[in-house]
């Protein structure tokens, strides 16, 4: 397995290209397309026998098509006798369906883990899972990278006075505490409750001192932007001077862009784990690239070096 090969599906070729540029290798050749009957076809166009192969494919929109594309690519590599296959999923979709918290619901995050393994994945490389426990849904090695250092370094350079890091819900509070420590700032937590299964969040309460400070909110993803808008307006009501927001995964579905445009948040800092569309490139949205971290992690997996050391 001395040769490294990196392939991409159609989910995020721009990120895959940036990763292979970091690695100094060409992108693996493949064709991945849909027939008129919507069946997806994949052909790997170069020899991968005994090679160390990686497929970069976030589970971004269109989520289900991108998932099936990835599964079929893994199957194609397995049947082409690849030596090892790593699924590189910078954004693990379905991660929010990770527990049976009401009667007769699925644990889809676990189902996806099984599907990936059956399709042929020998390892998973991912970024900021919705819940770290999803790692345990896999019986293959999982390397989970984090965008936290990237985001922390960006805001450290801004050198805000009176900064407070705000966890947008209790689930993200441990990561927000790490971000607060890196920025030498105190932590506040929003107590948020969701009403039903629809994508509408309700913000209730701020735990911690925020009045008169600059707030930096942290979430794992911004989906419809509903949580962000609620958090920003609650923080404003509590006397916060300015609000900045950051997250790893800019899903930006529905009217997220309209919501961000009209909401008084000063800047939203995200990464490129999912593609950013042209209409999402607003002045107040800053995109930091995960490509160097993903490239370095692939290099380390290939050569047997520590990934943990990247974050020490
Ligand atoms: C939920 O638990 C997640 O951590 C995010 O808070 C959520 O996905 C954000 O969704 P939205 O932008 O639709 O409010």
């Amino acid at each position: 397995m001395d040769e490294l090969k990196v392939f991409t599906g159609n989910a995020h070729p721009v990120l895959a290209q940036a990763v292979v540029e970091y690695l100094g290798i060409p992108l693996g050749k493949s064709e991945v397309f849909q027939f008129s009957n919507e069946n997806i076809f994949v052909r790997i166009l170069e020899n991968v026998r005994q090679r160390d192969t990686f497929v970069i494919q976030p589970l971004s929109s269109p989520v289900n098509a991108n998932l099936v594309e990835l599964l079929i690519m893994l199957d194609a590599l397995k049947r082409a006798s690849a030596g090892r296959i790593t699924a590189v999923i910078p954004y693990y979709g379905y991660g929010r369906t990770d527990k049976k918290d009401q009667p007769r619901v699925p644990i889809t995050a676990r189902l996806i883990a099984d599907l990936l393994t059956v399709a042929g994945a020998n390892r998973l490389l991912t970024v900021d899972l919705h819940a770290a426990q999803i790692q345990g849904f896999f019986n293959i090695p999982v390397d989970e990278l984090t965008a936290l250092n990237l985001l922390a370094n960006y805001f450290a350079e801004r050198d805000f006075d009176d900064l407070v890091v705000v966890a947008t819900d209790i689930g993200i509070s441990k990561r927000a505490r790490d971000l607060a420590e890196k920025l030498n700032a105190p932590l506040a937590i929003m107590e948020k409750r969701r009403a039903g299964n629809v994508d509408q969040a309700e913000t209730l309460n701020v735990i911690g001192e925020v009045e008169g400070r600059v707030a930096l909110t942290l979430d794992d993803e911004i989906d419809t932007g509903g949580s962000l808008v609620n958090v920003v307006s609650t923080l404003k009501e509590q006397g916060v001077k300015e609000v900045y927001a950051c997250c790893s995964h800019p899903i930006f579905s529905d009217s997220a862009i309209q919501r961000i445009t009209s909401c008084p948040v000063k800047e939203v800092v995200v990464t490129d784990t999912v593609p950013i569309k042209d209409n999402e490139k607003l002045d107040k949205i800053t995109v930091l690239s995960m490509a160097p971290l993903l490239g370095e992690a692939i290099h380390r997996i290939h050569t047997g070096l520590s990934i943990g050391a990247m974050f020490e």
Side-chain angles (χ1 to χ4, degrees), residues 31-44:
E31 53 182 359
V32 186
F33 62 88
Q34 275 194 17
F35 289 117
S36 47
N37 62 2
E38 293 180 25
N39 289 192
I40 293 168
F41 181 76
V42 168
R43 185 164 171 223
I44 306 296

Side-chain angles (χ1 to χ4, degrees), residues 184-205:
N184 209 10
L187 173 69
I189 300 172
M190 304 294 296
E191 193 207 1
K192 176 178 83 172
R193 281 187 203 157
R194 280 188 181 270
N197 289 327
V198 286
D199 287 337
Q200 278 174 354
E202 200 186 345
T203 297
L204 296 177
N205 193 20

Side-chain angles (χ1 to χ4, degrees), residues 96 130 168-169 172 192 194 199 201 219-228 253:
R96 282 156 70 180
H130 177 64
T168 50
D169 60 28
I172 197 83
K192 176 178 83 172
R194 280 188 181 270
D199 287 337
D219 211 339
D220 55 333
E221 63 179 52
I222 297 173
D223 180 4
T224 63
S227 305
L228 177 67
S253 57

Side-chain angles (χ1 to χ4, degrees), residues 222-295:
I222 297 173
D223 180 4
T224 63
S227 305
L228 177 67
V229 167
N230 287 341
V231 166
V232 173
S233 81
T234 306
L235 288 171
K236 284 283 184 185
E237 280 162 26
Q238 301 281 324
V240 159
K241 275 196 293 199
E242 285 180 337
V243 187
Y244 291 78
C246 66
C247 77
S248 307
H249 312 295
I251 306 306
F252 294 163
S253 57
D254 270 2
S255 323
I257 287 299
Q258 264 166 276
R259 289 197 174 109
I260 291 171
T261 308
S262 51
C263 147
V265 63
K266 293 284 281 184
E267 185 180 2
V268 178
V269 182
V270 302
T271 82
D272 58 356
T273 55
V274 298
I276 308 288
K277 298 183 212 80
D278 282 344
N279 72 320
E280 296 168 354
K281 292 178 181 156
L282 307 180
D283 284 348
K284 61 157 95 168
I285 297 181
T286 302
V287 183
L288 308 177
S289 183
M290 283 297 291
L293 275 176
L294 286 164

